[in-house]
Amino acid sequence: MKYISPNNYAIRLRHNPAEHGEGRECPRCSKKHPAPWTNPILATLKKLEMYDGPVLGGYVLCSTCEPLEEAERQTTQSRATFADTAIPPECADATWENFLPRAGTETAVDICRVWYRANDGRCLYITGPVGSGKTRLACTLAAEWFRDRTASVLFVHVVDLFDRLRAAEMKGPGEEDNFRIPALVARRLLVLDDLGVEKPTEYTCTRLLQLLERRHQAGHPTIITSNLGLDALGQRLGDDRIPSRLADWADIGIVRATDYRLERASARAKRR
């Protein structure tokens, strides 16, 4: 039987046992329970002859099931919202508590923690060799940010970012809207993963500079991961404007760890 929990209404529905009687079953646990509630808005409209449909607001859960239903609804809503962040599934449960620092990550982790606590709109640039844990560190920050601040977060690989930006510009309104510059600027936290692996062009440099400048003006922080330091990034992009601004706008976390993927592969090979 379809029902609507009273917590889903902006105005709590009023139970009217005189009109509807007692002894209905809770649709969740099947125990006997008060009958349907009357929707006060629909009831008023019906009295004014502006509405001639039913005025029942739905079947009410029992006092045991109602808080369980509401908790499940909020969990489902939270999961759906978290999915919108596009944080990789393997990092969905990332927290500072389960983050395991490795040799060479300690200084970068300290810088990231200080940056997180400051929350002053500055960017964060995490650089280090391939497999050193930059993305995991960035995802931990993003997941913690989402949980602590319930603010809009987006994680995106830089190559995908430019592909989606181009697609949005070629399509009309309503398509790829989340990847138009205004929508990206509006995100309270944006994570750009692997800057420098894309093929640099005038288009990519212009759009990246535009995005970073607008987010800086809005006071919305951006986390950037890259295998390249700022000097090497400028050489790779052929444009010094972006590293120059990051040198001023960003805290720099340098990860000096070795490639954890190769370490895992080596450990697996030794166990065989």
Side-chain angles (χ1 to χ4, degrees):
M1 182 179 293
K2 186 176 181 181
Y3 63 90
I4 302 173
S5 171
N7 281 342
N8 291 337
Y9 283 91
I11 299 177
R12 189 176 177 85
L13 308 181
R14 295 194 296 268
H15 176 228
N16 188 346
E19 181 179 350
H20 301 294
E22 300 282 357
R24 296 297 185 96
E25 287 186 355
C26 169
R28 183 182 175 111
C29 67
S30 300
K31 294 179 181 178
K32 292 296 182 180
H33 176 63
W37 296 48
T38 299
N39 185 320
I41 299 175
L42 296 181
T44 301
L45 292 176
K46 193 163 189 174
K47 288 181 180 179
L48 297 174
E49 298 183 351
M50 297 173 63
Y51 172 76
D52 60 359
V55 296
L56 299 184
Y59 288 93
V60 183
L61 297 172
C62 68
S63 58
T64 300
C65 292
E66 183 179 337
L68 297 176
E69 177 76 10
E70 181 64 13
E72 290 176 3
R73 185 188 68 81
Q74 291 180 359
T75 300
T76 300
Q77 183 179 15
S78 175
R79 286 175 179 166
T81 305
F82 187 85
D84 291 340
T85 68
I87 293 173
E90 62 270 20
C91 296
D93 297 326
T95 65
W96 286 123
E97 286 70 25
N98 60 32
F99 181 84
L100 300 176
R102 299 164 55 235
T105 66
E106 299 89 348
T107 301
V109 169
D110 288 343
I111 290 172
C112 289
R113 286 179 177 272
V114 171
W115 173 88
Y116 186 87
R117 289 193 296 268
N119 186 22
D120 58 0
R122 286 181 61 78
C123 296
L124 177 64
Y125 190 80
I126 305 174
T127 181
V130 173
S132 58
K134 303 181 300 295
T135 298
R136 177 72 183 191
L137 184 52
C139 287
T140 299
L141 289 164
E144 288 278 20
W145 187 289
F146 176 82
R147 285 189 290 265
D148 289 350
R149 299 171 171 87
T150 59
S152 56
V153 175
L154 179 64
F155 175 96
V156 60
H157 193 279
V158 170
V159 173
D160 294 334
L161 170 71
F162 292 124
D163 287 345
R164 301 288 290 273
L165 274 173
R166 288 190 185 94
E169 292 172 2
M170 293 174 64
K171 296 178 179 179
E175 299 186 60
E176 294 283 1
D177 282 350
N178 288 336
F179 279 85
R180 297 180 188 276
I181 291 293
L184 293 170
V185 172
R187 295 273 186 168
R188 296 305 300 271
L189 179 65
L190 179 64
V191 181
L192 303 179
D193 190 40
D194 253 349
L195 178 61
V197 301
E198 76 286 355
K199 182 179 180 180
T201 64
E202 182 179 354
Y203 174 85
T204 60
C205 290
T206 300
R207 286 292 179 269
L208 180 59
L209 183 62
Q210 180 186 29
L211 177 59
L212 292 175
E213 286 185 336
R214 291 193 181 181
R215 289 187 59 80
H216 176 71
Q217 292 166 2
H220 294 169
T222 305
I223 298 175
I224 301 169
T225 71
S226 178
N227 298 331
L228 306 172
L230 292 182
D231 290 340
L233 179 66
Q235 295 174 8
R236 168 65 176 165
L237 299 179
D239 189 331
D240 290 332
R241 294 176 298 171
I242 292 170
S244 174
R245 283 163 174 76
L246 289 175
D248 184 33
W249 298 343
D251 294 338
I252 312 295
I254 303 176
V255 183
R256 305 184 188 278
T258 54
D259 190 330
Y260 75 91
R261 299 184 187 93
L262 295 180
E263 291 177 359
R264 288 181 179 177
S266 177
R268 286 195 298 269
K270 290 179 180 178
R271 289 196 296 267
R272 292 174 182 172

